[in-house]
């Protein structure tokens, strides 16, 4: 699946169940690593303006690979658990 590399920015907006969210993160990290996703940064300090929620930035070989994981049968049960545990905002940024 070709295309430019992308950065995926994840902002945690609200956590309702920290233990379930921590378990989700551990499993998601394993799955994403196996598909070529690499975490570049976690957390942040706001430089200007309103504070962000917790942030994470990942690098993926392509948007198609990231999306195929997000839509996979392997990830689906994790997605359901994550949606019960927390609300996130995700952005995909092509690298140029």
């Amino acid at each position: 699946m070709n295309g430019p590399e992308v950065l995926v920015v994840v902002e945690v907006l609200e956590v309702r169940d920290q233990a379930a969210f921590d378990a989700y993160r551990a499993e998601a990290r394993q799955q994403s690593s196996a598909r070529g996703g690499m975490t570049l940064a976690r957390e942040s300090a706001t430089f200007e303006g309103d504070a962000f929620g917790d942030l994470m930035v990942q690098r993926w070989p392509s948007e198609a690979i990231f999306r195929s994981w997000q839509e996979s049968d392997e990830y689906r049960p994790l997605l359901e658990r994550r949606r019960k545990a927390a609300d996130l905002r995700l952005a995909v940024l092509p690298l140029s």
Side-chain angles (χ1 to χ4, degrees), residues 1-6 8 35 60-72 92:
M1 293 186 196
N2 294 329
E5 283 188 312
V6 295
V8 174
R35 292 176 179 253
W60 283 82
S62 71
E63 183 173 351
I65 291 171
F66 170 72
R67 286 186 182 274
S68 73
W69 172 56
Q70 290 286 297
E71 297 167 358
S72 71
V92 178

Side-chain angles (χ1 to χ4, degrees), residues 2 27 46 52:
N2 294 329
E27 286 188 59
T46 301
F52 290 98

Side-chain angles (χ1 to χ4, degrees), residues 42-86:
R42 233 183 280 267
E43 302 180 19
S44 67
T46 301
F47 179 73
E48 185 174 330
D50 294 336
F52 290 98
D54 288 340
L55 293 177
M56 178 182 66
V57 178
Q58 293 181 322
R59 174 178 248 159
W60 283 82
S62 71
E63 183 173 351
I65 291 171
F66 170 72
R67 286 186 182 274
S68 73
W69 172 56
Q70 290 286 297
E71 297 167 358
S72 71
D73 290 338
E74 179 184 24
Y75 182 70
R76 190 169 294 113
L78 279 181
L79 178 60
E80 292 170 11
R81 289 182 10 219
R82 192 258 304 165
R83 286 184 172 157
K84 289 178 184 175

Side-chain angles (χ1 to χ4, degrees), residues 1-15:
M1 293 186 196
N2 294 329
E5 283 188 312
V6 295
L7 295 179
V8 174
V9 180
V10 180
E11 181 180 16
V12 179
L13 301 173
E14 178 186 8
V15 176

Side-chain angles (χ1 to χ4, degrees), residues 22-40:
D22 290 344
Y24 159 81
R25 280 182 172 178
E27 286 188 59
R29 191 174 306 124
Q30 289 176 350
Q31 285 186 18
S32 64
S33 293
R35 292 176 179 253
M38 177 190 317
T39 298
L40 301 176

